[in-house]
Structures are given as structure tokens and as C-alpha cells.
Amino acid sequence: PDAARMLHDQDARAGNWADADGPRWQTWADGLAQLSGQGHLDRGRLIDECLAAFTRDFDVNRVGWYATLLDRLDPSPAEVAARAPRYFGLLGAGSKTAGLTGQSGARRVLDAGLLEPGPLLDASGPALLFPQKSIAMAQLQLIDKVIARFPAAAAQGIATVAAGFGHEPQDHQEAAPPPDLRPRETAGHPPGQV
């Protein structure tokens, strides 16, 4: 972590960085991602350290660098699914960058069909209560997608959404769309038979 802090601090002063073979890097994040892609650095450890940075006592401005590195590493849906509890934990980490990263990971595994809905719904409360409406609204939309994909999780999803309507700012309550509870055809079953 100390080396990563140093690299973050250096990134602000970085021009173009070159390795021994001559490729140019605009930032340390670019260079670390490239070296990882070439097998010179442990990709899994870089991903893990980026996720861990969101829960450390870093200044809010520092966690953005880790989000950038994580974006450059572009974890596969399988890599995200293997770390789903850590991604879902970011929903309660208290920074917008962490919340967005957690939501992005959840959407990624949902879209890939690798999501286990229960743990995500269990972890959604802090995001629904986040002071910035954009995080709370994005979490409500994510929960709606989960309910649509996993009708058996609807009761848990609705209970989770109910916490969002208990949010202090009235504008969150007014802006929050209710989940789509219309009967849906699921896995070949007609509406009403799921």
C-alpha cells in the first residue's frame, strides 16, 4: 500500500513514462495495467488492493486513483464475481467513488448472469441511504433489475427498497420510482405462475 500511495502521488506529476522497451505510459495506472497484462505484476493482487483502498483511511481524493487503476485493469465478470462480497461492501464505504465502483461491479455480474441476488440486496441499505441522490437512485434501479431477473428475490428486494423510502431527504422519497412489481414471464412461466 505504501508503494501504491507513492505511485498515486507521482501520478499527479507524471508526464509520459517509458519502460525499457520504449512504450509510453501517460500515468502509473496505465503502466501498472500494462505490466499486469504482460504478466509482470500479479493482476489479482492489484485488483484486490484497489478494492481494499476504498475501505482504508485514505483521503477521498486518493481513492479516485484506485478507481482509475481498477478501470484500467478492467476486471472480467468472473473476476468481479469472485470478489462480489468486496464489491458489495463498497456500497457502504461512504464515498461516492466507492459506491459507484460497487454498483458497477454488481451490474457487471448481473449482466453476465453471475449474480447471487441475496448478498447484493443485503448490502444495498447504505447505498439507498447515501446522501447524494444519484447513488441512491442508481441503487434503486439496480435492485429493480435484480427483481426483474430473479423474481424469487422480489420479497427481499421490496424489503430493501422500503429502506430507501425511509431516507431522510424528502426529495429522495419523491424521486424514487417504485420497483416494477407487474407480473412478468420468467423462465417460460406465464405471469402469475412464478
Side-chain angles (χ1 to χ4, degrees):
D2 292 329
R5 286 182 191 176
M6 179 199 70
L7 294 175
H8 167 269
D9 293 341
Q10 292 296 321
D11 236 5
R13 296 186 291 274
N16 290 324
W17 298 88
D19 67 11
D21 298 327
R24 307 294 275 175
W25 305 329
Q26 293 298 314
T27 65
W28 277 104
D30 293 333
L32 291 172
Q34 181 180 354
L35 290 171
S36 170
Q38 295 170 347
H40 299 294
L41 295 175
D42 183 340
R43 176 181 171 78
R45 180 160 184 214
L46 284 174
I47 293 169
D48 291 339
E49 291 299 326
C50 286
L51 293 172
F54 292 106
T55 57
R56 292 193 178 119
D57 63 344
F58 291 163
D59 180 86
V60 171
N61 294 324
R62 286 191 177 207
V63 295
W65 184 84
Y66 292 95
T68 299
L69 176 55
L70 195 59
D71 184 55
R72 298 288 194 288
L73 291 169
D74 192 26
S76 70
E79 289 173 314
V80 175
R83 294 166 175 84
R86 295 182 85 181
Y87 274 91
F88 301 164
L90 297 180
L91 299 173
S95 79
K96 182 176 182 178
T97 303
L100 291 171
T101 301
Q103 289 173 336
S104 173
R107 274 191 300 277
R108 211 144 180 206
V109 294
L110 176 64
D111 292 345
L114 300 173
L115 179 75
E116 179 67 37
L120 172 62
L121 295 172
D122 288 342
S124 292
L128 293 170
L129 300 173
F130 199 78
Q132 292 179 315
K133 187 166 53 173
S134 62
I135 296 291
M137 294 301 299
Q139 195 64 27
L140 285 169
Q141 292 168 352
L142 183 58
I143 291 168
D144 188 53
K145 288 176 85 174
V146 169
I147 291 171
R149 174 96 33 103
F150 301 97
Q156 184 182 4
I158 292 167
T160 302
V161 169
F165 288 106
H167 198 286
E168 287 292 320
Q170 187 66 28
D171 64 333
H172 278 56
Q173 295 176 17
E174 292 169 358
D180 184 1
L181 301 178
R182 294 174 293 176
R184 303 172 190 214
E185 182 175 320
T186 307
H189 300 287
Q193 292 186 2
V194 178

